[in-house]
Amino acid sequence: MTQAEIKLCSLLLQEHFGEIVEKIGVHLIKTGSQPLRVIVHDTGTSLDQVKKALCVLIQHNLVIYQVHKRGVVEYEAQCSRVLRMLRFPRYIYTTKALYGDTGELIVEELLLNGKMTMSAVVKKVADRLTDTMEDGKTMDYAEVSNTFVQLADTRFVQRCPMVHAPENSDTGPPPPAPSLVVNEKDMYLVPKLSLIGKGKRRRSSDEDAAGEPKAKKPKRTTDNKEPTPDDGIYWQTNLDRFHQHFRDQAIVNAVANRMDQTSSEIVRAMLRMSEVTTSSDAPFTQPLSSNEIFRSLPVGYNISKQVLDQYLTLLADDPLEFVGKSGDSGGGMYVINFHKALASLATATLESVIQERFGSRCARIFRLVLQKKHLEQKQVEDFAMIPAKEAKDMLYKMLSENFISLQEIPKTPDHAPSRTFYLYTVNVLSAARMLLHRCYKSVTNLIERRQFETKENKRLLEKSQRVEAIIASVQATGAEEAQLQEIEEMITAPERQQLETLKRNVNKLDASEIQVDETIFLLESYIESTMKKQ
Amino acid sequence: MAGNKGRGRAAYTFNIEAVGFGRGEKLPDVVLKPPPLFPDTDYKPVPLKTGESEDYMLALKQELRETMKRKPYFIEKSEEKPDIERYSKKYMQVYKEEWIPDWRRLPREMMPRKKCRKAGPKLKNAKGTDKGSSLINTADILKKIEELEKRGEGEKSDEENEETEGSKEKNKDGDDDNDDDNAEQEDYDEEEQEEENDYINSYFEDGDDFGADSDDNMDEATY
């Protein structure tokens, strides 16, 4: 865990769960697994607060616990899981694209609450959907549970490890912590529930206006009292499955950009066929025969078997090797090479970063070194056809930024510079690591800047919130137009301008965070797949 | 070559021409200060992607951030009382829904001690209501007795009486049991903490000192 990652985790935890949880979480990330008493002592936080914070972290799958010898429970932070909070909007948006509003809300609820029982999710989502519908219409529980079943079937949601009840419970006192077991068979098995009913409408819009006075606290606890049939079966989002989907999407897009729409459709069909048969971390898909691919092409996509074979040969001949040929039986067997695909995508990312940071001539040198593997300085100058002095300058610049590395090969054992070859090479893995690290730093900076901007304008923001609340409440009582205008004028023109600037800045910073995370995802997947291969 | 440069001038162990400096060319100055915090970039960054999906994700992100603050998981610091009670504060207050963690999934030590007593009867009541109808069901009662026996507190005679007395008494007893347990736990905790505190304190004091030392060293190194 690098400093940049720890800092980012700290900011994310603070934004989502408050300062106390952040303190405990960061402490655990820094120190590794620790028992409760040590955490309390080291952080100087009261026992109750530490407990609360740990409960929150465990609920959100950010901390796991383990019973050690002598019955001490140790808590360990899942750092990579904390960083995933950055990607929440993308998970939600993806589900919306695949399963519509219902799917979107299901995943959103699961992400917001960490883990939930299916019945709780269905109820909450149905209520929320009913809220957005026009009067008189309600959302049926059955419809929501159908979407939930779909999500489980396609493995976007999965069961949390179950509490393993010890069978012979007459052996001494109960254990200090429940043991959680994963049942592979039941991971995606939805409990048979007969959820009948409809979403209930909330009385007022008590959630979307924080500043609004609320007369009554919604008493939702009452209907929680009755035990549900799926009590104890908790669900969470399967982030690996989402990542698999993102990866497949990136491959399809890359093929579409490199060749054409048709070839990308073929690759998409191949990916869809192997979605279930291939595990998300396998380096290849299962071999698929061209006949199988032909049959599973989307209907209405009119290409003949011959054209398909031509496309497949073309794809297999492509130097990037997204698609490989693994045999000749069944009209030719083809696989998709995930590792190669991710490597190409990561390399392309590196190239484009260099192009945007150092210009196209530097990118030319970078590509040259990448292609020729090892080059001496003189060779770089000659091959790149750039004047020696400029080429040197560019090469050194990239060297100092760690995009290019230098390999010394001494002719004599004394390492004398005059008798040493200096070879420039690109180590894609280490360059990707370096870039990933910079991405984490960038996101950290973006968040800090955003917090600074909001803090600077805190007074103004509060004022505008207050005014909005007043307008909303006055409007509800049916006020005149003139009256409303008068209230609106409480915010002066320059203030309004300042608010708009602030909003624009914050939007830009937020959008950048999301888009940097896309690069983070790509680089992480590449590094992970390379590490697995070794 | 060294004679060429004269005394006192840095003599390089390698041929400078190999790095690209001609004979007699001036070498760049030595940099003695850190690079600027916000360096000028040679190239302007490309604009961000925009589009429907980007806008939607942006909205999602901002909404998510706001929602998270209103969730019960967001633990705020107990802030000190402001000197002036603001009227508007009353309207700014956010009501959070309650959150009762599923204690079955958490280590036992996570249970807050005070709350346990408060939450205890609540939970029991919940059970009581659904058991109320099935009280006649002797299997349940037998189970309960077995459970109590396991605790082995030597209260068997009491429990036997309970069997006939109904659920109310039992609930109370159960609570008492809990309390006892807790009291025990507390004692035990305190003892251990006392023992180990000494050790830990001294250990960490040393650690601090060490940290300070190493800091100093680092400072020296940079100068």
Side-chain angles (χ1 to χ4, degrees), chain A residues 89 92 104-105 108 112 128 207-208 510, chain B residues 56-70:
Chain A
I92 299 171
E104 178 194 356
L105 289 187
E108 189 180 311
L112 280 173
R128 280 183 64 184
E207 256 188 29
D208 27 62
D510 263 329
Chain B
Y56 194 82
M57 269 200 267
L58 175 68
L60 266 177
K61 184 174 160 54
Q62 291 176 344
E63 193 190 300
L64 212 65
R65 195 163 56 225
E66 286 310 305
T67 322
M68 235 23 223
K69 293 226 164 70
R70 271 181 273 131

Side-chain angles (χ1 to χ4, degrees), chain A residues 59 124 151 172 254 343 390 421 476 503 506 510 525:
Chain A
Q59 167 81 13
K124 188 82 206 274
L151 280 167
E390 286 172 48
F421 291 116
K503 201 177 163 212
V506 167
D510 263 329
S525 312

